[in-house]
Amino acid sequence: MAPRQSPAKEKLIGAAVKVVREKGFNATSVDDLCREAGVTKGAFFHHFPTKVDLGIAAAGAWKLHANELFGTAPYMAHEDPLDRILGYLAFRRDMLDGPIAEFTCLVGTMVQESYDSQPSLRAACQDSIWDHALTLVDDIEAARKRHGVTGDWTAESLALHTQAVLQGAFILAKAADDPQAARDTADHLIRYVRMLFNLPVIRSEGEHHG
Amino acid sequence: MAPRQSPAKEKLIGAAVKVVREKGFNATSVDDLCREAGVTKGAFFHHFPTKVDLGIAAAGAWKLHANELFGTAPYMAHEDPLDRILGYLAFRRDMLDGPIAEFTCLVGTMVQESYDSQPSLRAACQDSIWDHALTLVDDIEAARKRHGVTGDWTAESLALHTQAVLQGAFILAKAADDPQAARDTADHLIRYVRMLFNLPVIRSEGEHHG
DNA sequence: ACTCGCAAACCGACCAGTTGGTATGTTTTA
DNA sequence: TAAAACATACCAACTGGTCGGTTTGCGAGT
């Protein structure tokens, strides 16, 4: 077990994950974060030297959250690695049926605001994205072997591609204030992966013709 | 011809496109924009009631810029609409070889910061993304007919999917501070479109095995 | 051609509110 | 009993935005 953190620190990280995901990093003030966490500024700067440091901690917490959420999801019980991959993608697609604020990515939001001005926060966001993406690599490679699929691509690039598509889907959902386009783009991703592995492309429920 | 705008207004819009793309909308102050444009605050608020209104104007200018850039690109001369689509995707992939600040998307950046708090700016970003995506729809539909491709997807959803993948690619590039992952994801997108249209999947130059 | 009138363009000092961060405490806990 | 945790008052810098004023472009009248 990880050593128990002090309540204020935990609460601040939780507040950052929640508020930054809604408003963005720069639009969220230290006072906002303290208010949301029910904590004073003194506590804030006792635990974090700067606001950016809380962002970095939030990115780390986000990574743990993702590992927990996707590492213990039901589809992980599938014996065939390809079923685990397709289960993962279906799971992520189905998340897009909920409210926008509940499926978007904290670090995808933060990295756009920090990449040019806050190298340490940018690096924490990269670590979070890459760490999650790389959890898919072993299954992709195993699925390739098991199903005899070669193709001119690497498992790592496909793993990162899934993350890119999802990040892009979040942007479409935010832009339209509607997750429909995000669901459609997730369906395209699923169709792509099925084609790569020579599976029949099944009728998806998410798209409407007309 | 559009009526000539006043110099300060043009300069401010140009400054917004440049600086916001680098730093993000919230991290860019009105003074930053005035400095970059070589204009005073008085001029700023003469032309734009608020900072958000400049953001909206910048989104509009970005849309015109995209229409100009992609509407007159060489690949548009291809007779087969499928060649135009593949030409577009190759063009966008090749843009990813330059510096990060030169291929990222202004409105994709702004929408993440505005969707929850600035509905009018969010709407302007959506308009810019959708307008550009929809320029692909006619060619996709024509290519489908010409090449006898049916498939369980709409032209509009595929057009939006290309934009989602590119937006996601920008996020990967920013996160890694390196465009390699973005290039790889663009290669996956090209491979997907080729597979949808039953074309042989050619060896791409962007990915490395190992 | 000249100049008058006037609106649009532009300027820069100024403002009140907010920002991230600090200094100096008091309380809790091991 | 000392250190870690937390609280409060405070600050200088900066924020988006305002305001009264000056300059510029330009059509009309002569």
Side-chain angles (χ1 to χ4, degrees):
Chain A
M1 277 276 90
R4 175 173 145 67
Q5 294 184 343
S6 58
K9 192 169 185 177
E10 280 177 38
K11 280 192 276 182
L12 280 165
I13 291 172
V17 169
K18 181 185 173 199
V19 183
V20 172
R21 208 141 66 114
E22 291 166 7
K23 308 210 304 175
F25 184 77
N26 287 317
T28 303
S29 70
V30 173
D31 284 324
D32 288 339
L33 293 163
C34 291
R35 201 176 313 120
E36 178 72 27
V39 146
T40 63
K41 242 175 175 178
F44 185 109
F45 287 102
H46 174 71
H47 292 290
F48 303 100
T50 69
K51 182 187 162 189
V52 166
D53 287 287
L54 174 55
I56 292 169
W62 185 252
K63 174 170 130 178
L64 296 179
H65 166 73
N67 282 342
E68 169 71 16
L69 177 63
F70 299 110
T72 65
Y75 61 79
M76 287 299 280
H78 288 304
E79 184 262 337
D80 186 333
L82 183 53
D83 288 334
R84 288 199 293 275
I85 294 165
L86 293 171
Y88 168 78
L89 294 176
F91 187 62
R92 300 232 47 173
R93 199 221 94 108
D94 290 345
M95 285 175 70
L96 303 177
D97 285 332
I100 291 182
E102 284 175 29
F103 61 70
T104 55
C105 177
L106 171 72
V107 294
T109 301
M110 280 200 296
V111 78
Q112 295 238 39
E113 295 184 75
S114 67
Y115 85 101
D116 185 63
S117 51
Q118 297 290 351
S120 54
L121 183 50
R122 190 227 91 228
C125 292
Q126 174 184 19
D127 180 58
S128 181
I129 294 173
W130 256 248
D131 179 82
H132 175 56
L134 295 184
T135 62
L136 304 171
V137 167
D138 287 348
D139 277 344
I140 293 174
E141 272 169 358
R144 265 182 119 154
K145 270 180 194 146
R146 153 108 62 141
H147 297 271
V149 167
T150 56
D152 177 35
W153 47 272
T154 65
E156 185 179 335
S157 78
L158 181 59
L160 286 166
H161 179 64
T162 63
Q163 301 311 299
V165 175
L166 291 166
Q167 294 289 347
F170 301 155
I171 289 185
L172 292 190
K174 287 176 177 174
D177 197 20
D178 181 335
Q180 184 57 51
R183 287 195 288 263
D184 289 347
T185 208
D187 285 331
H188 278 289
L189 173 63
I190 291 169
R191 189 179 295 107
Y192 175 51
V193 171
R194 293 184 68 91
M195 289 169 87
L196 283 180
F197 283 91
N198 303 312
L199 292 178
V201 174
I202 54 176
R203 162 108 196 134
S204 63
E205 293 165 22
E207 293 191 27
H208 309 281
H209 291 269
Chain B
M1 280 272 90
R4 178 174 145 64
Q5 293 185 343
S6 57
K9 193 169 186 177
E10 280 177 37
K11 281 192 278 183
L12 281 165
I13 291 172
V17 169
K18 182 186 172 198
V19 183
V20 171
R21 210 143 63 115
E22 292 166 7
K23 309 211 303 176
F25 184 77
N26 288 317
T28 303
S29 70
V30 172
D31 283 326
D32 287 339
L33 293 163
C34 291
R35 202 177 312 120
E36 176 74 26
V39 146
T40 63
K41 240 175 178 179
F44 185 110
F45 287 102
H46 174 72
H47 292 290
F48 302 101
T50 69
K51 183 188 163 189
V52 166
D53 288 286
L54 173 55
I56 292 169
W62 185 253
K63 175 170 130 178
L64 295 179
H65 165 73
N67 281 341
E68 168 72 16
L69 178 62
F70 298 111
T72 65
Y75 59 79
M76 287 299 279
H78 288 307
E79 184 263 337
D80 187 334
L82 182 53
D83 288 334
R84 289 199 291 275
I85 294 165
L86 293 170
Y88 169 77
L89 293 175
F91 186 62
R92 299 232 49 172
R93 200 220 95 107
D94 290 345
M95 285 176 68
L96 303 177
D97 286 332
I100 292 181
E102 285 175 28
F103 61 70
T104 54
C105 177
L106 171 71
V107 294
T109 301
M110 280 200 295
V111 78
Q112 295 238 43
E113 296 184 76
S114 67
Y115 85 100
D116 187 63
S117 52
Q118 298 290 352
S120 54
L121 182 51
R122 190 227 92 229
C125 292
Q126 174 183 19
D127 180 58
S128 181
I129 294 173
W130 256 249
D131 178 83
H132 175 57
L134 295 184
T135 62
L136 302 173
V137 168
D138 287 349
D139 277 344
I140 293 174
E141 273 171 357
R144 265 182 118 153
K145 271 181 194 146
R146 155 109 58 144
H147 297 271
V149 166
T150 56
D152 177 34
W153 45 274
T154 66
E156 185 178 335
S157 79
L158 181 59
L160 286 167
H161 179 64
T162 63
Q163 300 312 298
V165 175
L166 290 166
Q167 295 288 347
F170 301 155
I171 289 185
L172 293 190
K174 287 175 178 174
D177 198 18
D178 180 335
Q180 183 58 48
R183 287 194 288 263
D184 289 347
T185 207
D187 286 331
H188 279 288
L189 173 62
I190 291 169
R191 189 178 297 106
Y192 175 52
V193 172
R194 293 185 68 90
M195 290 170 88
L196 282 181
F197 284 91
N198 302 311
L199 293 178
V201 173
I202 53 177
R203 162 108 197 134
S204 64
E205 293 164 26
E207 292 190 29
H208 311 279
H209 290 269

